[in-house]
Amino acid sequence: MSEMVGKYCAKFFGKTGVILEIGVVKKVASRTIHVDWGTKTWVYQNRDFNWTPLTKEEFEVKYKKPKFSDAALIRAAELGLKITYN
């Protein structure tokens, strides 16, 4: 589970797939996962954590710019993610 630390997660809006928030896994304990969503840090129980954490490179390849909200693009810039149109 500790291999998840430092990886990125994304919250989506409904079925449109627009990314609203980008989070970074900060801590993994035996029963909880701590994710920093920028404005807040949430603590999830393992069974409630439904994201697939991705490395920086995987995140940049998987998600493209048209699928990001303005706030998510700002957060991506803060985290050093390069989001493109390809």
Coordinates of all heavy atoms in Angstrom, one line a residue:
M1 N 0.8 -1.2 0.0 CA 0.0 0.0 0.0 C 0.9 1.3 0.0 O 0.4 2.3 -0.5 CB -0.9 0.0 1.2 CG -2.0 -1.1 1.2 SD -3.3 -0.8 0.0 CE -4.3 0.4 0.9
S2 N 2.0 1.2 0.6 CA 2.9 2.4 0.6 C 3.3 2.9 -0.7 O 3.8 4.0 -0.9 CB 4.1 2.2 1.6 OG 4.9 1.2 1.0
E3 N 3.2 2.0 -1.8 CA 3.6 2.4 -3.1 C 2.6 3.5 -3.7 O 2.9 4.1 -4.7 CB 3.7 1.2 -4.1 CG 2.4 0.5 -4.3 CD 2.1 -0.6 -3.3 OE1 2.9 -0.8 -2.4 OE2 1.0 -1.2 -3.4
M4 N 1.5 3.7 -3.0 CA 0.5 4.6 -3.5 C 0.9 6.1 -3.1 O 0.4 7.0 -3.7 CB -0.9 4.3 -2.8 CG -1.5 3.1 -3.4 SD -3.0 2.6 -2.6 CE -3.9 4.0 -2.3
V5 N 1.8 6.2 -2.1 CA 2.1 7.6 -1.6 C 2.8 8.4 -2.8 O 3.7 7.9 -3.5 CB 3.1 7.5 -0.4 CG1 3.6 8.9 0.0 CG2 2.4 6.8 0.7
G6 N 2.3 9.6 -2.9 CA 2.8 10.5 -4.0 C 2.2 10.3 -5.3 O 2.5 11.1 -6.3
K7 N 1.2 9.4 -5.4 CA 0.5 9.2 -6.7 C -0.7 10.1 -6.8 O -1.2 10.6 -5.7 CB 0.1 7.8 -6.9 CG 1.4 6.9 -7.1 CD 1.0 5.5 -7.6 CE 2.3 4.8 -7.9 NZ 2.0 3.4 -8.4
Y8 N -1.3 10.3 -8.0 CA -2.4 11.3 -8.2 C -3.7 10.6 -8.4 O -3.8 9.4 -8.9 CB -2.1 12.1 -9.4 CG -0.8 12.9 -9.3 CD1 0.4 12.3 -9.7 CD2 -0.8 14.1 -8.7 CE1 1.6 13.1 -9.6 CE2 0.4 14.8 -8.6 CZ 1.6 14.3 -9.0 OH 2.7 15.0 -8.9
C9 N -4.8 11.2 -8.0 CA -6.2 10.7 -8.1 C -7.0 11.9 -8.7 O -6.6 13.1 -8.6 CB -6.8 10.4 -6.8 SG -5.8 9.2 -5.8
A10 N -8.1 11.6 -9.3 CA -9.0 12.6 -9.9 C -10.4 12.3 -9.5 O -10.9 11.2 -9.6 CB -8.8 12.6 -11.4
K11 N -11.1 13.4 -9.2 CA -12.6 13.4 -8.9 C -13.3 13.8 -10.2 O -12.9 14.9 -10.7 CB -13.0 14.3 -7.8 CG -12.7 13.7 -6.4 CD -13.3 14.6 -5.4 CE -12.9 14.1 -4.0 NZ -13.5 15.0 -2.9
F12 N -14.3 13.1 -10.6 CA -15.0 13.4 -11.9 C -16.4 13.9 -11.6 O -17.0 13.6 -10.5 CB -15.1 12.1 -12.7 CG -13.8 11.5 -13.1 CD1 -13.2 10.5 -12.4 CD2 -13.2 12.0 -14.3 CE1 -12.0 10.0 -12.8 CE2 -12.0 11.5 -14.7 CZ -11.4 10.5 -13.9
F13 N -17.0 14.6 -12.6 CA -18.3 15.1 -12.5 C -19.2 14.2 -13.3 O -19.1 14.1 -14.6 CB -18.4 16.5 -13.1 CG -19.8 17.0 -13.1 CD1 -20.5 17.4 -11.9 CD2 -20.5 17.1 -14.2 CE1 -21.7 17.9 -11.9 CE2 -21.8 17.6 -14.3 CZ -22.4 18.0 -13.1
G14 N -20.0 13.4 -12.7 CA -21.0 12.5 -13.3 C -20.5 11.7 -14.4 O -19.4 11.2 -14.4
K15 N -21.3 11.5 -15.4 CA -21.0 10.7 -16.6 C -20.2 11.4 -17.7 O -19.7 10.8 -18.6 CB -22.2 10.1 -17.2 CG -22.9 9.1 -16.3 CD -24.1 8.4 -16.9 CE -24.7 7.5 -16.0 NZ -25.9 6.8 -16.6
T16 N -20.1 12.8 -17.5 CA -19.4 13.6 -18.5 C -17.9 13.3 -18.5 O -17.2 13.5 -19.4 CB -19.6 15.1 -18.3 OG1 -19.2 15.4 -17.0 CG2 -21.1 15.4 -18.4
G17 N -17.4 12.9 -17.3 CA -16.0 12.6 -17.2 C -15.1 13.8 -17.0 O -13.9 13.8 -17.1
V18 N -15.7 15.0 -16.7 CA -14.9 16.2 -16.5 C -14.3 16.1 -15.1 O -14.9 15.8 -14.1 CB -15.8 17.5 -16.5 CG1 -15.0 18.7 -16.1 CG2 -16.4 17.6 -17.9
I19 N -13.0 16.4 -15.1 CA -12.2 16.3 -13.8 C -12.4 17.6 -13.0 O -12.1 18.7 -13.5 CB -10.7 16.0 -14.1 CG1 -10.6 14.7 -14.8 CG2 -9.9 16.1 -12.8 CD1 -9.2 14.4 -15.2
L20 N -12.9 17.4 -11.8 CA -13.2 18.6 -10.9 C -12.0 18.9 -10.0 O -11.7 20.0 -9.7 CB -14.5 18.4 -10.1 CG -15.7 18.2 -10.9 CD1 -16.9 17.9 -10.0 CD2 -16.0 19.5 -11.7
E21 N -11.4 17.8 -9.4 CA -10.3 17.9 -8.5 C -9.3 16.9 -8.7 O -9.5 15.8 -9.2 CB -10.9 17.7 -7.0 CG -11.8 18.8 -6.6 CD -12.2 18.5 -5.1 OE1 -11.4 18.8 -4.2 OE2 -13.4 18.1 -4.9
I22 N -8.0 17.3 -8.4 CA -6.9 16.4 -8.5 C -6.3 16.3 -7.1 O -6.1 17.3 -6.4 CB -5.8 17.0 -9.4 CG1 -6.4 17.2 -10.8 CG2 -4.6 16.0 -9.5 CD1 -5.5 17.9 -11.8
G23 N -6.1 15.0 -6.6 CA -5.6 14.8 -5.3 C -4.3 14.0 -5.4 O -3.9 13.4 -6.4
V24 N -3.5 14.2 -4.3 CA -2.3 13.5 -4.1 C -2.3 12.6 -2.9 O -2.7 13.2 -1.8 CB -1.1 14.5 -4.0 CG1 0.2 13.7 -3.9 CG2 -1.0 15.4 -5.2
V25 N -2.0 11.4 -3.0 CA -2.0 10.5 -1.8 C -0.8 10.9 -0.9 O 0.4 10.9 -1.4 CB -1.9 9.0 -2.2 CG1 -1.8 8.1 -1.0 CG2 -3.1 8.6 -3.1
K26 N -1.1 11.3 0.3 CA 0.0 11.8 1.2 C 0.4 10.7 2.2 O 1.6 10.7 2.7 CB -0.5 13.0 2.0 CG -0.7 14.2 1.1 CD 0.7 14.6 0.5 CE 0.6 15.8 -0.4 NZ 1.8 16.2 -1.0
K27 N -0.5 9.9 2.6 CA -0.2 8.9 3.7 C -1.1 7.7 3.5 O -2.2 7.8 3.2 CB -0.4 9.5 5.1 CG -0.1 8.6 6.2 CD -0.4 9.4 7.5 CE -0.2 8.5 8.7 NZ -0.5 9.1 10.0
V28 N -0.5 6.5 3.8 CA -1.2 5.3 3.7 C -0.9 4.6 5.1 O 0.2 4.3 5.4 CB -0.8 4.4 2.5 CG1 -1.6 3.1 2.6 CG2 -1.0 5.1 1.2
A29 N -2.0 4.3 5.8 CA -1.9 3.6 7.1 C -2.5 2.2 6.9 O -3.0 1.9 5.8 CB -2.6 4.4 8.2
S30 N -2.6 1.5 8.0 CA -3.1 0.1 7.8 C -4.6 0.1 7.5 O -5.0 -0.8 6.8 CB -2.9 -0.7 9.1 OG -3.6 0.0 10.2
R31 N -5.3 1.1 7.9 CA -6.8 1.1 7.6 C -7.2 2.4 6.8 O -8.4 2.5 6.5 CB -7.6 1.0 8.9 CG -7.4 -0.3 9.6 CD -8.3 -0.4 10.8 NE -8.0 -1.7 11.4 CZ -8.6 -2.1 12.5 NH1 -9.5 -1.3 13.1 NH2 -8.3 -3.2 13.1
T32 N -6.4 3.3 6.7 CA -6.8 4.6 6.1 C -5.8 5.1 5.0 O -4.7 4.7 4.9 CB -6.9 5.7 7.1 OG1 -5.6 5.9 7.7 CG2 -7.9 5.4 8.2
I33 N -6.4 5.9 4.1 CA -5.6 6.6 3.1 C -5.9 8.1 3.1 O -7.0 8.5 3.1 CB -6.0 6.0 1.7 CG1 -5.7 4.5 1.6 CG2 -5.2 6.8 0.6 CD1 -6.2 3.8 0.4
H34 N -4.8 8.9 3.2 CA -4.9 10.3 3.3 C -4.7 10.9 1.9 O -3.6 10.7 1.4 CB -3.9 10.9 4.3 CG -4.1 10.3 5.7 ND1 -4.5 11.1 6.8 CD2 -4.0 9.0 6.2 CE1 -4.6 10.3 7.9 NE2 -4.3 9.0 7.5
V35 N -5.6 11.7 1.4 CA -5.5 12.3 0.1 C -5.6 13.9 0.3 O -6.6 14.4 0.8 CB -6.5 11.8 -0.9 CG1 -6.4 12.5 -2.2 CG2 -6.5 10.3 -1.0
D36 N -4.6 14.6 -0.3 CA -4.6 16.0 -0.3 C -5.3 16.5 -1.6 O -4.8 16.3 -2.7 CB -3.2 16.6 -0.2 CG -3.1 18.1 -0.3 OD1 -4.2 18.8 -0.2 OD2 -2.0 18.6 -0.5
W37 N -6.5 17.1 -1.5 CA -7.2 17.6 -2.7 C -7.0 19.1 -2.9 O -7.7 19.7 -3.6 CB -8.7 17.3 -2.5 CG -9.1 15.9 -2.5 CD1 -9.4 15.2 -1.4 CD2 -9.1 15.0 -3.6 NE1 -9.7 13.9 -1.8 CE2 -9.5 13.7 -3.1 CE3 -8.9 15.2 -4.9 CZ2 -9.6 12.6 -4.0 CZ3 -9.0 14.1 -5.8 CH2 -9.4 12.8 -5.3
G38 N -5.9 19.7 -2.3 CA -5.6 21.1 -2.6 C -6.2 21.9 -1.4 O -5.4 22.5 -0.6
T39 N -7.5 22.1 -1.4 CA -8.1 22.9 -0.4 C -8.3 22.2 0.9 O -8.5 22.8 2.0 CB -9.4 23.5 -0.9 OG1 -10.3 22.4 -1.2 CG2 -9.2 24.4 -2.1
K40 N -8.3 20.9 0.9 CA -8.6 20.1 2.0 C -7.9 18.7 1.9 O -7.5 18.3 0.8 CB -10.1 19.8 2.2 CG -10.7 19.2 1.0 CD -12.2 19.4 0.9 CE -12.8 19.0 -0.4 NZ -12.4 19.7 -1.5
T41 N -7.7 18.0 3.0 CA -7.1 16.7 3.0 C -8.2 15.8 3.6 O -8.7 16.0 4.7 CB -5.9 16.6 3.9 OG1 -4.9 17.5 3.3 CG2 -5.3 15.2 3.9
W42 N -8.5 14.7 2.9 CA -9.5 13.8 3.3 C -8.9 12.5 3.7 O -7.9 12.1 3.2 CB -10.5 13.5 2.2 CG -11.5 14.6 1.9 CD1 -11.3 15.7 1.2 CD2 -12.8 14.7 2.5 NE1 -12.4 16.5 1.2 CE2 -13.3 15.9 2.0 CE3 -13.6 13.9 3.3 CZ2 -14.6 16.3 2.3 CZ3 -14.9 14.3 3.6 CH2 -15.4 15.5 3.1
V43 N -9.5 11.9 4.8 CA -9.0 10.6 5.2 C -10.1 9.6 4.9 O -11.2 9.7 5.3 CB -8.7 10.6 6.7 CG1 -8.3 9.2 7.2 CG2 -7.7 11.7 7.1
Y44 N -9.7 8.6 4.1 CA -10.6 7.5 3.6 C -10.3 6.2 4.3 O -9.1 5.9 4.4 CB -10.6 7.4 2.1 CG -10.9 8.6 1.3 CD1 -9.9 9.5 0.9 CD2 -12.2 8.9 1.0 CE1 -10.2 10.6 0.2 CE2 -12.5 10.0 0.3 CZ -11.5 10.9 -0.1 OH -11.9 12.0 -0.8
Q45 N -11.3 5.4 4.6 CA -11.0 4.1 5.0 C -10.7 3.3 3.7 O -11.2 3.7 2.6 CB -12.2 3.5 5.7 CG -12.5 4.1 7.1 CD -13.6 3.4 7.8 OE1 -14.2 2.5 7.3 NE2 -13.7 3.8 9.1
N46 N -9.9 2.3 3.8 CA -9.5 1.5 2.6 C -10.7 1.1 1.8 O -10.6 1.2 0.5 CB -8.7 0.3 3.0 CG -7.3 0.7 3.5 OD1 -6.9 1.8 3.4 ND2 -6.6 -0.3 4.1
R47 N -11.7 0.7 2.4 CA -12.9 0.2 1.6 C -13.6 1.3 0.9 O -14.3 1.1 -0.1 CB -13.8 -0.6 2.5 CG -14.5 0.2 3.5 CD -15.6 -0.6 4.3 NE -16.3 0.2 5.2 CZ -16.0 0.4 6.5 NH1 -14.9 -0.3 7.0 NH2 -16.7 1.2 7.3
D48 N -13.5 2.6 1.3 CA -14.1 3.7 0.7 C -13.3 4.4 -0.3 O -13.8 5.3 -1.0 CB -14.5 4.7 1.8 CG -15.5 4.1 2.8 OD1 -16.3 3.2 2.4 OD2 -15.5 4.6 4.0
F49 N -12.1 4.0 -0.5 CA -11.2 4.6 -1.4 C -11.4 4.0 -2.8 O -10.9 2.9 -3.0 CB -9.7 4.5 -1.0 CG -8.7 5.3 -1.8 CD1 -8.6 6.6 -1.7 CD2 -8.0 4.6 -2.8 CE1 -7.7 7.3 -2.5 CE2 -7.0 5.3 -3.5 CZ -6.9 6.6 -3.4
N50 N -12.0 4.7 -3.7 CA -12.4 4.1 -5.0 C -11.6 4.7 -6.2 O -12.1 4.6 -7.3 CB -13.9 4.2 -5.2 CG -14.4 5.6 -5.2 OD1 -13.6 6.5 -5.0 ND2 -15.7 5.8 -5.4
W51 N -10.4 5.2 -6.0 CA -9.6 5.7 -7.1 C -8.5 4.8 -7.4 O -8.1 4.0 -6.6 CB -9.1 7.1 -6.7 CG -10.1 8.1 -6.6 CD1 -10.7 8.9 -7.5 CD2 -10.8 8.5 -5.4 NE1 -11.6 9.7 -7.0 CE2 -11.7 9.5 -5.7 CE3 -10.7 8.1 -4.0 CZ2 -12.5 10.1 -4.7 CZ3 -11.5 8.7 -3.1 CH2 -12.4 9.7 -3.5
T52 N -8.0 4.9 -8.6 CA -6.8 4.2 -9.0 C -5.7 5.2 -9.0 O -5.6 6.1 -9.9 CB -6.9 3.6 -10.4 OG1 -8.1 2.7 -10.4 CG2 -5.7 2.8 -10.8
P53 N -4.8 5.2 -8.1 CA -3.7 6.2 -8.0 C -2.7 6.0 -9.2 O -2.4 4.9 -9.5 CB -3.0 5.9 -6.7 CG -3.9 5.1 -5.9 CD -4.8 4.4 -6.9
L54 N -2.4 7.1 -9.8 CA -1.5 7.0 -11.0 C -0.2 7.9 -10.8 O -0.3 8.9 -10.1 CB -2.2 7.6 -12.2 CG -3.6 7.0 -12.6 CD1 -4.3 7.8 -13.7 CD2 -3.3 5.6 -13.2
T55 N 0.8 7.4 -11.4 CA 2.1 8.2 -11.3 C 1.9 9.5 -12.2 O 0.9 9.6 -12.9 CB 3.3 7.4 -11.9 OG1 3.0 7.2 -13.3 CG2 3.5 6.2 -11.1
K56 N 2.8 10.4 -12.1 CA 2.7 11.7 -12.9 C 2.6 11.4 -14.4 O 1.8 11.9 -15.1 CB 3.9 12.5 -12.6 CG 3.9 13.9 -13.3 CD 5.1 14.7 -12.9 CE 5.1 16.0 -13.6 NZ 6.2 16.9 -13.2
E57 N 3.4 10.5 -14.9 CA 3.5 10.2 -16.3 C 2.2 9.5 -16.7 O 1.6 9.8 -17.8 CB 4.7 9.3 -16.6 CG 6.0 9.9 -16.4 CD 6.5 10.0 -15.0 OE1 5.9 9.3 -14.1 OE2 7.3 10.9 -14.7
E58 N 1.7 8.6 -15.9 CA 0.4 7.9 -16.3 C -0.7 8.9 -16.3 O -1.6 8.8 -17.2 CB 0.1 6.8 -15.3 CG 1.1 5.6 -15.3 CD 0.9 4.7 -14.1 OE1 0.4 5.1 -13.1 OE2 1.3 3.5 -14.3
F59 N -0.8 9.8 -15.3 CA -1.8 10.8 -15.2 C -1.8 11.7 -16.5 O -2.9 11.9 -17.0 CB -1.7 11.6 -14.0 CG -2.9 12.4 -13.6 CD1 -3.8 11.9 -12.7 CD2 -3.0 13.7 -14.1 CE1 -4.9 12.6 -12.4 CE2 -4.2 14.4 -13.7 CZ -5.1 13.9 -12.9
E60 N -0.6 12.1 -16.9 CA -0.5 13.0 -18.0 C -0.9 12.4 -19.3 O -1.5 13.0 -20.2 CB 0.9 13.6 -18.1 CG 1.3 14.5 -17.0 CD 2.8 14.9 -17.0 OE1 3.6 14.2 -17.7 OE2 3.1 15.8 -16.3
V61 N -0.7 11.1 -19.4 CA -1.1 10.3 -20.6 C -2.6 10.0 -20.7 O -3.2 10.1 -21.7 CB -0.2 9.0 -20.8 CG1 -0.8 8.1 -21.8 CG2 1.2 9.3 -21.0
K62 N -3.1 9.6 -19.5 CA -4.5 9.2 -19.5 C -5.5 10.3 -19.6 O -6.5 10.2 -20.3 CB -4.7 8.5 -18.1 CG -6.1 7.9 -18.0 CD -6.3 7.0 -16.8 CE -7.7 6.4 -16.8 NZ -7.8 5.4 -15.8
Y63 N -5.2 11.5 -19.0 CA -6.2 12.6 -19.0 C -5.8 13.7 -19.9 O -4.6 14.2 -19.8 CB -6.4 13.1 -17.5 CG -6.9 12.0 -16.6 CD1 -6.2 11.5 -15.5 CD2 -8.2 11.4 -16.9 CE1 -6.7 10.5 -14.7 CE2 -8.6 10.3 -16.0 CZ -7.9 9.9 -15.0 OH -8.3 8.9 -14.2
K64 N -6.7 14.2 -20.7 CA -6.4 15.3 -21.6 C -7.1 16.6 -21.3 O -8.1 16.6 -20.6 CB -6.8 14.8 -23.1 CG -6.1 13.6 -23.5 CD -4.6 13.7 -23.5 CE -4.0 12.4 -23.9 NZ -2.6 12.3 -23.6
K65 N -6.6 17.7 -21.7 CA -7.0 19.0 -21.3 C -8.5 19.3 -21.5 O -9.1 19.9 -20.6 CB -6.2 20.1 -22.1 CG -6.4 21.5 -21.5 CD -5.4 22.4 -22.1 CE -5.4 23.7 -21.3 NZ -4.4 24.6 -21.7
P66 N -9.2 18.9 -22.5 CA -10.6 19.2 -22.6 C -11.5 18.6 -21.5 O -12.6 19.0 -21.3 CB -11.1 18.6 -24.0 CG -9.8 18.5 -24.8 CD -8.7 18.3 -23.7
K67 N -11.0 17.7 -20.8 CA -11.7 17.0 -19.7 C -11.5 17.6 -18.3 O -11.9 17.1 -17.3 CB -11.4 15.5 -19.6 CG -11.9 14.7 -20.8 CD -13.4 14.5 -20.7 CE -13.8 13.6 -21.8 NZ -15.2 13.2 -21.6
F68 N -10.9 18.8 -18.3 CA -10.5 19.4 -17.0 C -11.3 20.7 -16.7 O -11.5 21.5 -17.7 CB -9.0 19.8 -16.9 CG -8.1 18.7 -16.7 CD1 -7.8 17.8 -17.7 CD2 -7.6 18.5 -15.4 CE1 -6.9 16.7 -17.5 CE2 -6.7 17.4 -15.2 CZ -6.4 16.5 -16.2
S69 N -11.8 20.9 -15.5 CA -12.4 22.1 -15.1 C -11.3 23.2 -15.0 O -10.1 22.8 -14.9 CB -13.2 22.0 -13.8 OG -12.3 21.8 -12.7
D70 N -11.7 24.4 -14.9 CA -10.7 25.5 -14.7 C -9.9 25.3 -13.4 O -8.7 25.5 -13.3 CB -11.4 26.9 -14.7 CG -11.9 27.2 -16.1 OD1 -11.4 26.6 -17.1 OD2 -12.8 28.1 -16.2
A71 N -10.6 25.0 -12.3 CA -10.0 24.8 -11.0 C -9.0 23.6 -11.1 O -7.9 23.6 -10.5 CB -11.0 24.5 -9.9
A72 N -9.4 22.5 -11.8 CA -8.5 21.4 -11.9 C -7.3 21.7 -12.7 O -6.2 21.2 -12.4 CB -9.2 20.2 -12.6
L73 N -7.4 22.6 -13.7 CA -6.2 23.0 -14.5 C -5.2 23.8 -13.7 O -4.0 23.6 -13.8 CB -6.6 23.8 -15.7 CG -7.2 23.0 -16.9 CD1 -7.7 23.9 -18.0 CD2 -6.1 22.0 -17.5
I74 N -5.8 24.6 -12.8 CA -4.9 25.4 -11.9 C -4.2 24.5 -10.9 O -3.0 24.6 -10.7 CB -5.8 26.5 -11.1 CG1 -6.3 27.5 -12.1 CG2 -5.0 27.1 -10.0 CD1 -7.4 28.4 -11.5
R75 N -4.9 23.5 -10.4 CA -4.3 22.5 -9.5 C -3.3 21.7 -10.2 O -2.2 21.4 -9.6 CB -5.4 21.6 -8.9 CG -5.0 20.5 -8.0 CD -4.6 20.9 -6.7 NE -4.4 19.7 -5.8 CZ -3.5 19.6 -4.9 NH1 -2.8 20.7 -4.5 NH2 -3.4 18.5 -4.2
A76 N -3.5 21.3 -11.4 CA -2.5 20.6 -12.2 C -1.2 21.4 -12.3 O -0.1 20.8 -12.2 CB -3.1 20.2 -13.5
A77 N -1.4 22.7 -12.6 CA -0.2 23.5 -12.7 C 0.6 23.6 -11.4 O 1.8 23.6 -11.4 CB -0.6 24.9 -13.2
E78 N -0.2 23.7 -10.3 CA 0.5 23.7 -9.0 C 1.3 22.5 -8.7 O 2.3 22.5 -8.1 CB -0.6 23.9 -7.9 CG -1.3 25.2 -7.8 CD -2.4 25.3 -6.8 OE1 -2.7 24.2 -6.2 OE2 -3.1 26.3 -6.7
L79 N 0.7 21.3 -9.2 CA 1.4 20.1 -8.9 C 2.5 19.8 -10.0 O 3.2 18.8 -9.9 CB 0.4 18.9 -9.0 CG -0.7 19.0 -7.8 CD1 -1.8 17.9 -8.1 CD2 0.0 18.8 -6.5
G80 N 2.6 20.6 -11.0 CA 3.6 20.4 -12.0 C 3.2 19.4 -13.1 O 4.1 18.9 -13.8
L81 N 1.9 19.1 -13.2 CA 1.4 18.2 -14.3 C 1.3 19.0 -15.6 O 0.8 20.1 -15.6 CB 0.1 17.6 -13.9 CG 0.0 16.8 -12.6 CD1 -1.4 16.5 -12.2 CD2 0.8 15.5 -12.9
K82 N 1.8 18.3 -16.7 CA 1.7 18.9 -18.0 C 0.5 18.3 -18.7 O 0.5 17.2 -19.2 CB 2.9 18.7 -18.8 CG 4.1 19.4 -18.2 CD 5.4 19.2 -19.0 CE 6.5 20.0 -18.5 NZ 7.2 19.5 -17.4
I83 N -0.6 19.1 -18.8 CA -1.9 18.6 -19.4 C -1.9 19.1 -20.8 O -1.8 20.3 -21.1 CB -3.1 19.1 -18.6 CG1 -2.9 18.7 -17.1 CG2 -4.4 18.5 -19.2 CD1 -2.8 17.2 -16.8
T84 N -2.1 18.2 -21.8 CA -2.1 18.6 -23.2 C -3.4 18.2 -23.9 O -4.3 17.6 -23.3 CB -1.0 17.9 -24.0 OG1 -1.2 16.5 -23.9 CG2 0.4 18.2 -23.4
Y85 N -3.6 18.6 -25.1 CA -4.8 18.3 -25.9 C -4.8 17.0 -26.6 O -5.8 16.5 -27.1 CB -5.1 19.4 -26.9 CG -5.7 20.6 -26.4 CD1 -4.9 21.7 -26.1 CD2 -7.1 20.7 -26.1 CE1 -5.5 22.9 -25.5 CE2 -7.6 21.8 -25.6 CZ -6.9 22.9 -25.3 OH -7.4 24.0 -24.8
N86 N -3.6 16.4 -26.7 CA -3.5 15.1 -27.5 C -4.3 14.0 -27.0 O -4.4 13.6 -26.0 CB -2.0 14.7 -27.6 CG -1.2 15.7 -28.3 OD1 -1.7 16.5 -29.1 ND2 0.1 15.7 -28.0

